[in-house]
Amino acid sequence: MHEKTSVVLIEALTRLWSRIRAYHHEVPGVILLPAPAGRGELSVLGHFAPLRWRGKKTGDEHHHEVVVIAEHLDREPADVLGTLLHEAAHALNFERGKKDCTKSQYHNQLFKAAAHEVGLTVEQVPHYGYAFTRVLPETLQRYEEDLKYLIDISIHRRKPVALTSGPGPP
């Protein structure tokens, strides 16, 4: 393992986000991070947080954040792309001034429309609305070259393992 591995991982994710923006010009630039899941959040694949970052210089603008949960980077690259597209749909709606999700994470019709726009299929699920998304086959073809770059990285954060109690070392 080389210390530049994290840089290459972020480059691969950034490359995908940049391609999303090239196809969907209203999707904003973001601070893009792989980050570990919080306590009890292993079911979350990523998140979009508007205006979460700000530069130190006076008058520096605020920046949005997109996080891909590191424990889920072991999924197929197409599924990681799906997470980025899902968050891009949220970012697109934020830029348009449309509230597409409640605090309890219920994804409404506005999210569904934006998700379709960026190349996802959407299914309604209990308690979360239109939160379940998948990448359309034609969308996968569009991002094929960028997905190859992500395949080359093949690294993820290990999921937590339960510690067993028992006798310590002798």
Side-chain angles (χ1 to χ4, degrees):
M1 185 64 53
H2 192 274
E3 45 286 329
K4 289 189 178 180
T5 301
S6 60
V7 172
V8 176
L9 171 61
I10 291 170
E11 278 179 5
L13 294 171
T14 301
R15 182 177 175 153
L16 278 169
W17 190 266
S18 294
R19 185 71 69 208
I20 291 167
R21 292 186 69 215
Y23 292 131
H24 306 282
H25 301 290
E26 290 181 74
V27 172
V30 298
I31 304 297
L32 182 60
L33 304 166
R39 255 192 201 152
E41 291 183 337
L42 261 177
S43 63
V44 175
L45 302 176
H47 76 248
F48 167 73
L51 308 173
R52 179 73 55 98
W53 292 76
R54 183 169 169 261
K56 286 187 173 186
K57 291 188 272 182
T58 304
D60 211 1
E61 63 186 56
H62 287 78
H63 306 281
H64 307 306
E65 171 183 279
V66 167
V67 168
V68 178
I69 300 301
E71 289 87 350
H72 295 298
L73 287 169
D74 63 343
R75 298 174 300 140
E76 291 296 317
D79 295 328
V80 175
L81 170 62
T83 297
L84 289 175
L85 289 168
H86 182 114
E87 303 313 329
H90 286 301
L92 188 60
N93 276 331
F94 182 84
E95 289 296 300
R96 293 174 174 169
K98 296 180 178 181
K99 186 162 173 50
D100 66 2
C101 195
T102 65
K103 285 185 181 185
S104 63
Q105 299 307 305
Y106 187 89
H107 293 58
N108 64 28
Q109 291 277 351
L110 295 171
F111 174 79
K112 180 181 178 183
H116 282 296
E117 187 176 337
V118 297
L120 297 170
T121 63
V122 180
E123 289 181 40
Q124 192 169 15
V125 292
H127 310 294
Y128 294 99
Y130 297 99
F132 187 76
T133 57
R134 278 186 246 174
V135 181
L136 289 165
E138 56 269 25
T139 305
L140 277 179
Q141 288 178 339
R142 186 177 231 194
Y143 293 92
E144 189 173 0
E145 286 302 312
D146 301 294
L147 288 173
K148 287 178 188 174
Y149 192 66
L150 186 59
I151 290 168
D152 290 342
I153 288 153
S154 183
I155 188 168
H156 66 278
R157 188 169 195 263
R158 199 170 66 107
K159 290 181 173 63
V161 291
L163 300 176
T164 57
S165 58

